[in-house]
Amino acid sequence: MAYPTEWKGSYYDGQSPVPQHVTISVTAVGLRLHFPDHTHTTWNYHELRQTQGRYSGEEVRFERGTGIGETLVIPGPNILLAIHEHGGSETKHFHHPRTRRTRMYWTVLAALASIPIVYGIFIWGIPLLAQPITAAIPISWEIQLGQFVQQEVTAGKQVCQNPKLIHAVESILTALTNSINRLPYQFQVTVVDSPVVNAMAAPGGYILVFRGLLQDTASPEEFAGVLAHEIQHVLLRHTMHLIVRHVSMAFVIAALSGDASGMVAYALQAAQTLQTLSYSRDAEDQADEQGFQLLQQSKINPEGMITFFAKLGKEQPGNAVFRYLSTHPETQDRLAHLKSLLPPVSTTYRAFPFESEWSDITTYCK
Ligand SMILES: [Zn+2]
């Protein structure tokens, strides 16, 4: 059967994400590309890699060069038949199957090559682009990562399941989340049975509170202050941003493409990042400010946030137990700023009428 020698395709020069529409002639030695400005060039078969188009329905991709080089995309796999018919012995390598892993990598990379962000990663690196990369990550992917991070952080530890404790924690969480419009996450709080004074937000709305911190809060309002602050780290995507900044290229590519396979390996990296690194000072200020607003719109007295952070600041910074202090130092600026946000007139706030005293509830765990 004679297959046509003229095909239409899109050419990417490896610099710009904008394709050029080209006509492709299949010749004995290579593919001749005809550009809209009437120039042409020949890609010899021996210098091409086929990175996609081994299955029916897939578009065919050829690449030339290293990294994100020049790419040629042809819709449908039939051009391969033409190449084998007209191209001779130089075209045999287009049939060699690659390992699935390599193929997945190049397929995802090639699919993403049309997104300017991915060019940017190669040119400027991940840290500078962490913001737009974070914004492009699908929420569903973030939620799945969060589940794994939560499992990673709680692995080998007891989680508090006392019904009175859970009821109290959930009442406060619900009071906060009910006042948020169009909540993108189903927030969950897990209390870890550990004397460490710490709390952290995993991606996707999974908040982890260590019992030591809970016991350090003097009232539901103080605990609500910490939760409001952590909720804002998630909603403002500080958590994802911190992880993106400090993880590998493979993680970022998987995150952008929504590919969830191998998520467990990323979760380990992500959990380590969250437990060892701090947010920027700007991110902390934002979480304070917007957490404070969240308390107000939830009719929870925001003074609890101020008193808790002030109390935390009186602990010894070097003490390993007070881990939350190392990531959330009480500075005079921080407290002064929070105090300046207090409303000038007295306001009525909600009460949390629990069956037991707060100081007792926080000691319950089993
Ligand atoms: Zn924070």
Side-chain angles (χ1 to χ4, degrees), residues 85-313:
E85 182 174 325
H86 304 289
S89 61
E90 295 259 35
T91 66
K92 286 203 180 94
H93 68 292
F94 295 133
H95 259 322
H96 289 176
R98 283 155 197 271
T99 64
R100 186 171 158 65
R101 195 178 173 80
T102 311
R103 202 184 75 82
M104 264 302 295
Y105 182 80
W106 281 109
T107 306
V108 169
L109 201 58
L112 288 165
S114 54
I115 302 173
I117 284 172
V118 177
Y119 283 93
I121 293 172
F122 280 96
I123 297 162
W124 297 302
I126 293 170
L128 273 175
L129 284 161
Q131 203 72 50
I133 290 170
T134 303
I137 291 174
I139 296 274
S140 59
W141 195 93
E142 183 186 337
I143 290 170
Q144 212 170 343
L145 177 69
Q147 285 173 357
F148 283 112
V149 169
Q150 185 200 37
Q151 284 169 20
E152 204 64 62
V153 175
T154 57
K157 298 188 181 79
Q158 289 288 329
V159 167
C160 296
Q161 286 169 330
N162 180 281
K164 284 185 179 175
L165 175 81
I166 288 179
H167 169 72
V169 167
E170 284 184 354
S171 304
I172 297 166
L173 178 67
T174 307
L176 289 165
T177 54
N178 276 355
S179 71
I180 303 169
N181 283 330
R182 288 201 296 265
L183 200 59
Y185 309 97
Q186 183 81 47
F187 279 92
Q188 277 183 30
V189 177
T190 303
V191 180
V192 182
D193 188 6
S194 156
V196 172
V197 180
N198 201 8
M200 61 185 274
Y206 296 91
I207 294 172
L208 293 144
V209 176
F210 293 73
R211 192 171 43 76
L213 182 138
L214 190 63
Q215 284 181 314
D216 246 20
T217 61
S219 64
E221 287 78 12
E222 285 196 1
F223 184 58
V226 175
L227 280 191
H229 177 97
E230 293 302 320
I231 285 171
Q232 291 298 0
H233 276 317
V234 178
L235 290 176
L236 296 162
R237 297 193 103 186
H238 295 158
T239 306
M240 264 327 291
H241 181 258
L242 185 70
I243 295 169
V244 165
R245 259 190 81 98
H246 294 99
V247 294
S248 66
M249 175 76 95
F251 173 95
V252 169
I253 288 171
L256 288 174
S257 66
D259 172 25
S261 63
M263 182 79 89
V264 175
Y266 305 136
L268 184 63
Q269 259 188 321
Q272 283 167 347
T273 302
L274 287 175
Q275 290 183 95
T276 50
L277 300 172
S278 310
Y279 296 118
S280 68
R281 183 62 209 272
D282 279 355
E284 286 304 334
D285 287 349
Q286 278 186 340
D288 274 354
E289 251 176 56
Q290 301 205 26
F292 196 94
Q293 279 172 18
L294 177 58
L295 290 165
Q296 284 184 304
Q297 75 197 39
S298 310
K299 301 264 177 286
I300 298 173
N301 191 340
E303 279 181 68
M305 187 188 232
I306 300 172
T307 54
F308 182 75
F309 280 126
K311 178 167 48 185
L312 195 66

Side-chain angles (χ1 to χ4, degrees), residues 71-84:
T71 305
L72 187 61
V73 180
I74 305 105
N78 289 345
I79 191 171
L80 289 170
L81 298 169
I83 289 172
H84 284 290

